[in-house]
Amino acid sequence: MKQHRTSLKDIARELNVSIATVSRALRSSPEIGKEMQARVKELAKKLNYRPNPFAQGLRKDAPKMIGVVVPNLVTHYYAAVLDGIEDEARRAGYSVISANSHEHFEDEAQAVDNFVSLHVEGIIACLAQTTTDYSHYEEIADMGIPLVFFGRTCLSDRFSSVTANGDEAAQMATQHLIDTGSRRIAFLGGPNHLDMVRRRKHGYLEALRDNRLTIDRSLVICGKIDYREALATTERLLKSAHRPDAIVAFNDIICFAAFTAIKNSGLRIPEDVALIGFTDDQHAAYVTPRMSAIEDQSHLMGVRACQLLLKNINGDTKVCHEIVPQQLVIRETSAKKAT
């Protein structure tokens, strides 16, 4: 469905008045009577009219823009995805504006609303960890505005997405820990409602089942994606009577919180507690011991997400779901013995 945003012309046609009358009424011009102002404003609200800030001057001079909303712009993963989006958008003649939801639903919904008001050509988004209400995206679908998700997704029947093979990657990482001597392996994840968390946890559990290892639910902890909370959670695990001898961490924030907790506890990595996490090579390779990691091809993910969005903008409305494979990089934090 081709996107259609309500215009002044639409309102004018509905009320059988001129476009100039509608424009003046929306600006509360004294030239227009109060009753007509009220009728125009009521219809504009009903039709979800948004003024176009780029309509000043010639429309052909307005920039073609794509909006991107991410949960945490200061992390390497999201910065790299954004870099990929910008590279692809630039090649196609588009500019990119980004917004940081700070992992809050309210900020995410406001960012999407702002993008609509700015008349962006399309939106690329990754869900905040607190987002469980998708009505703001359903409105986008109803308006016909192109939107593509990456990483954390929703409404898969309505929107295209680019994700990683987190289930397979988590299974490979857990199998590696088992093959190198670990048996009580913990999984530290994010909120269970996120599809990304569910995929990675599923892969971890599948590896335990394949090796007929007991699944200890006390070692499967999914909560808030927060450094301090993950640090405290890991510290509690390490003090328990039956502490884990390995940890699979959901993302870089949780991974480095676990790394710090193990170090602070005076335990050795990997001899006492092995560790592997979903993180990036830029940080994983420069800690001691060097971090084993499941690495995203984050720049490529941004490129693919932008390519799908551009197809949608250009009229291809087919819903597509692409998978960008992750890479298991073994360094020093995971192997208790030689394979």
Side-chain angles (χ1 to χ4, degrees), residues 13 27 30 79 100 103 118 120 149 198-199 214 292 302:
R13 184 188 302 112
R27 289 185 281 111
N100 192 344
E103 295 282 13
L118 288 170
V120 297
F149 285 106
R198 293 196 300 270
R199 288 194 297 269
T214 300
S292 292

Side-chain angles (χ1 to χ4, degrees), residues 4-15 17 19 21-28 35-52 113 116-117 119 143:
H4 176 74
R5 297 180 175 89
T6 301
S7 66
L8 294 177
K9 185 177 180 180
D10 295 325
I11 299 172
R13 184 188 302 112
E14 186 81 13
L15 294 174
V17 297
I19 293 175
T21 295
V22 172
S23 178
R24 292 188 184 106
L26 290 173
R27 289 185 281 111
S28 302
E35 182 182 350
M36 178 56 72
Q37 286 187 33
R39 289 178 62 198
V40 169
K41 291 176 181 178
E42 182 180 358
L43 183 59
K45 183 177 181 180
K46 179 181 177 181
L47 298 179
N48 198 24
Y49 169 72
R50 306 292 184 96
N52 186 347
D113 190 62
V116 174
S117 294
H119 287 241
M143 294 172 70

Side-chain angles (χ1 to χ4, degrees), residues 111-225:
V112 170
D113 190 62
N114 290 344
F115 288 154
V116 174
S117 294
L118 288 170
H119 287 241
V120 297
E121 302 293 325
I123 298 171
I124 298 173
C126 180
L127 296 179
Q129 64 174 305
T130 59
T131 297
T132 55
D133 175 1
Y134 309 128
S135 58
H136 52 310
Y137 292 121
E138 290 172 335
E139 290 175 3
I140 292 295
D142 293 340
M143 294 172 70
I145 298 174
L147 185 147
V148 170
F149 285 106
F150 75 90
R152 309 173 192 171
T153 71
C154 66
L155 304 174
S156 59
D157 59 326
R158 305 188 77 173
F159 294 111
S160 295
S161 66
V162 180
T163 58
N165 60 334
D167 50 349
E168 296 176 9
Q171 187 168 0
M172 287 190 295
T174 307
Q175 185 63 53
H176 162 70
L177 292 170
I178 295 169
D179 290 343
T180 54
S182 296
R183 290 297 178 269
R184 285 184 54 77
I185 304 169
F187 177 83
L188 302 184
N192 275 309
H193 66 267
L194 292 176
D195 59 331
M196 180 187 286
V197 175
R198 293 196 300 270
R199 288 194 297 269
R200 294 177 181 184
K201 182 169 68 173
H202 175 74
Y204 153 82
L205 292 172
E206 282 297 289
L208 297 185
R209 293 188 186 102
D210 287 348
N211 290 273
R212 298 182 180 179
L213 294 179
T214 300
I215 296 175
D216 184 344
R217 292 296 174 182
S218 70
L219 298 180
V220 185
I221 303 176
C222 293
K224 184 179 180 182
I225 302 172

Side-chain angles (χ1 to χ4, degrees), residues 307-327:
Q307 289 173 342
L308 285 180
L309 184 69
L310 292 172
K311 284 183 179 180
N312 200 177
I313 290 172
N314 292 325
D316 183 352
T317 58
K318 181 181 178 181
V319 174
C320 300
H321 301 295
E322 291 195 13
I323 295 177
V324 176
Q326 294 173 306
Q327 301 169 327

Side-chain angles (χ1 to χ4, degrees), residues 45 87 102 104 112 162 170 177 203 235 257 264 278 281 332 336:
K45 183 177 181 180
D87 283 351
H102 305 283
H104 296 309
V112 170
V162 180
L177 292 170
E235 288 173 345
N264 290 347
F278 287 79
D281 60 338
E332 298 168 352
K336 292 181 181 296

